[in-house]
Amino acid sequence: SRNGGRRSLHSMPRTLEPFADIAASIRVVRGMRVLLDDDLALVYGVTNKRLREQTRRNTDRFPSDFLIQLSRKELASLKMQNESSSWGGRRSAQLAFTEHGAIMAATVLSSPRAVQMSVYVVRAFARLRQVAATHSTLAQELETLKQAVSRATPSSADTLQPAPVPF
């Protein structure tokens, strides 16, 4: 399947908090969290063609830290990560929008749905930042605990001494 087993945004439930589904579509490219143009178009309820058209018409609003054009190698890597053999034919390079780029896209699209859904996009990126910070904190705490345990544990030389034999 195109999405490698993850839930498609086509089937995204119409709930008050769809950011979990958006968060599942966020990828990491060049060390940045991004939404691919196909996914962002679905979120904003527009065609990919319209999203790309508005992006091209407003290039001054999309600096390199807002919008990335994926290389073939990066696209192949994303396909492998998602266990997908094909994402359909494309004539143009895939675009990836950072959090700021996704919000800027909502402003240039200026549709009510894009404006409404941009709130969920922000929440999804914020939630991922929160999860990453929690994982970092837990990793630091685990390392501190490991060091404390290793200091408190007798060395192997002490534990391998033969016990005295009683007479």
Side-chain angles (χ1 to χ4, degrees):
S1 80
R2 175 184 132 14
N3 60 15
R6 65 184 171 86
R7 233 162 91 195
S8 168
L9 288 175
H10 284 295
S11 64
M12 185 171 59
R14 304 295 177 226
T15 65
L16 294 176
E17 298 286 316
F19 67 85
D21 294 306
I22 297 169
S25 298
I26 295 174
R27 312 269 194 289
V28 176
V29 175
R30 300 180 197 169
M32 294 185 276
R33 291 183 184 93
V34 298
L35 275 168
L36 301 179
D37 54 1
D38 292 333
D39 292 332
L40 191 59
L42 286 171
V43 168
Y44 288 162
V46 298
T47 64
N48 193 316
K49 179 179 179 180
R50 172 129 163 77
L51 175 63
R52 295 172 70 85
E53 180 181 86
Q54 290 303 313
T55 303
R56 270 193 315 275
R57 288 181 180 171
N58 295 281
T59 56
D60 56 325
R61 294 183 183 214
F62 293 96
S64 62
D65 59 330
F66 281 30
L67 181 67
I68 301 169
Q69 185 170 321
L70 298 181
S71 68
R72 289 178 193 222
K73 185 177 179 180
E74 289 168 327
L75 187 58
S77 175
L78 286 174
K79 286 180 184 179
M80 285 178 34
Q81 290 172 21
N82 292 294
E83 302 172 4
S84 176
S85 60
S86 173
W87 281 1
R90 293 185 70 102
R91 292 183 183 198
S92 55
Q94 182 116 33
L95 299 178
F97 293 82
T98 65
E99 178 178 1
H100 299 296
I103 300 312
M104 186 60 71
T107 66
V108 300
L109 289 169
S110 67
S111 73
R113 173 150 171 100
V115 171
Q116 175 191 19
M117 293 305 291
S118 67
V119 171
Y120 297 115
V121 170
V122 169
R123 287 180 180 160
F125 277 100
R127 177 72 178 130
L128 287 179
R129 277 193 303 276
Q130 182 183 27
V131 168
T134 300
H135 285 302
S136 176
T137 301
L138 288 174
Q140 289 172 350
E141 290 174 2
L142 180 61
E143 187 57 36
T144 302
L145 183 60
K146 282 181 182 179
Q147 290 173 2
V149 167
S150 70
R151 284 191 303 268
T153 305
S155 72
S156 60
D158 295 338
T159 59
L160 296 177
Q161 296 294 327
V165 180
F167 286 102

